[in-house]
Amino acid sequence: MPFIPLLILLITLIWGYTWVLMKVALDYMGPFSFSFFRFLVGTITMFLIVFVMRLKRPAREDWPHLVLLGLLQTTFVFAFVMYGMRFVEAGKSSILLYSMPIWSMILSRFFLGEQVTVRKLTSIIAGMLGLLFILGWDLWFQQNVRVVVGEFMIVVGAVSWGAANVILKKRFRDHNKIQVSAWQMLFGTLGLFMGLLMGEWGAPVEWTGMSILAVLFSGVLASAFCFTAWFIVVSKIDTTVASVSLMFVPVMALFFGWLQLEETIDAGVMTGTLLISLGIYLATVPERRSQQRNIDS
């Protein structure tokens, strides 16, 4: 399947560059406004795909879970991330959000009963040290409380994404993932619209070539295309191999942020990135059965 590596490359580049556009978009509109417009475009595109594929509506008993999934995966994640990015650089924001696999693993232990092995515990420790290194570096060396608060908000977004993954595993394991993505995106977009009404209604939105590009790029390519392409990748190759490839997204975000936004990459960011990447790798790559040890026993 020679097209799979190409899809992975496109996903990595698009998702990496989207962080730059998300940061730039905050110069033209508020975080709720941008997130709403982005996912409005993404939702319309996803439902065009649903229509072409002739997918049926979800069962009635799935609707409450889809609403919760949309709130966790779309509304809360991007509300916290976009607000946090008002104070945090794009590259660093992506690193913090992509700690998600570690939070997903922790939550899966409590809500899905998944075993915690020595390897998984090591991944948690490495990821936590990476987060603390980034947060601690900024607290002690930059001494900018707003930056630390922004970073904390992005970490909360990562936890919300991890919780959404738990619901996805528990409730929608055997469902069509494109259908699930479309409907959760719809409900999450409605949640973002409510946030816009309460927090940013009447706030100025400046439509320029750059802000329109940010909305269309992140809505059509980063949301609709990449999610659909990601489901294709996961259906064709090993899930673990696909998941590990996501580790390169924050690397690309760091590079594009440095290239276009002249963001700095200091020792704290580099050390934290390496530790979080190690934690994600250990969390997503399974152990051999002969080497597994359950620390709960």
Side-chain angles (χ1 to χ4, degrees), residues 17 52 282:
Y17 187 66
V52 170
L282 294 174

Side-chain angles (χ1 to χ4, degrees), residues 34 71 76 79 95 104 128 140 165 174 200 210 252 255:
F34 172 75
L71 291 174
F76 294 158
I95 297 166
S104 182
M128 292 299 181
W140 295 109
N165 285 339
D174 300 321
E200 294 177 7
M210 180 56 70
M252 289 294 98
F255 171 73

Side-chain angles (χ1 to χ4, degrees), residues 6-247:
L6 176 60
L7 283 181
I8 292 176
L9 177 62
L10 287 174
I11 291 169
T12 303
L13 291 174
I14 291 171
W15 275 349
Y17 187 66
T18 299
W19 285 93
V20 171
L21 293 180
M22 288 165 62
K23 183 69 173 181
V24 170
L26 292 174
D27 293 332
Y28 301 95
M29 62 191 77
F32 270 114
S33 298
F34 172 75
S35 298
F36 169 70
F37 290 126
R38 167 188 176 171
F39 284 103
L40 177 63
V41 172
T43 299
I44 292 171
T45 307
M46 285 299 299
F47 272 93
L48 287 175
I49 296 172
V50 168
F51 177 77
V52 170
M53 296 181 64
R54 298 185 177 182
L55 300 177
K56 297 180 179 179
R57 286 187 300 175
R60 182 175 298 178
E61 58 268 21
D62 288 334
W63 285 62
H65 303 278
L66 285 168
V67 171
L68 180 59
L69 184 64
L71 291 174
L72 289 172
Q73 187 166 315
T74 298
T75 305
F76 294 158
V77 170
F78 288 93
F80 281 111
V81 167
M82 292 303 296
Y83 263 97
M85 284 186 70
R86 298 172 70 182
F87 316 110
V88 183
E89 295 178 342
K92 191 185 297 183
S93 299
S94 69
I95 297 166
L96 296 174
L97 183 64
Y98 274 85
S99 67
M100 173 275 297
I102 298 168
W103 302 109
S104 182
M105 183 181 61
I106 295 173
L107 293 171
S108 294
R109 168 64 184 89
F110 291 102
F111 294 99
L112 300 179
E114 295 184 357
Q115 293 182 345
V116 177
T117 63
V118 172
R119 185 189 182 103
K120 289 182 177 180
L121 182 62
T122 304
S123 75
I124 294 173
I125 294 173
M128 292 299 181
L129 286 175
L131 291 174
L132 290 174
F133 206 94
I134 292 176
L135 296 172
W137 185 276
D138 288 342
L139 181 63
W140 295 109
F141 289 88
Q142 289 192 14
Q143 296 182 341
N144 190 328
V145 176
R146 294 197 304 172
V147 171
V148 176
V149 171
E151 292 171 345
F152 177 77
M153 294 179 72
I154 295 169
V155 172
V156 173
V159 175
S160 182
W161 190 3
N165 285 339
V166 171
I167 294 175
L168 195 64
K169 290 181 182 179
K170 188 176 182 66
R171 182 73 189 189
F172 299 105
R173 186 186 300 271
D174 300 321
H175 288 59
N176 183 288
K177 299 305 188 296
I178 293 179
Q179 178 197 56
V180 171
S181 181
W183 284 93
Q184 72 81 18
M185 196 178 293
L186 172 63
F187 293 124
T189 302
L190 292 175
L192 289 168
F193 181 65
M194 295 301 296
L196 187 158
L197 289 178
M198 292 185 291
E200 294 177 7
W201 187 254
V205 174
E206 186 179 351
W207 291 110
T208 67
M210 180 56 70
S211 62
I212 293 173
L213 171 65
V215 169
L216 292 179
F217 186 98
S218 58
V220 176
L221 293 180
S223 299
F225 170 77
C226 281
F227 277 120
T228 303
W230 177 249
F231 292 145
I232 293 173
V233 169
V234 172
S235 68
K236 297 295 183 181
I237 67 174
D238 184 78
T239 304
T240 297
V241 175
S243 298
V244 171
S245 68
L246 289 182
M247 292 171 56

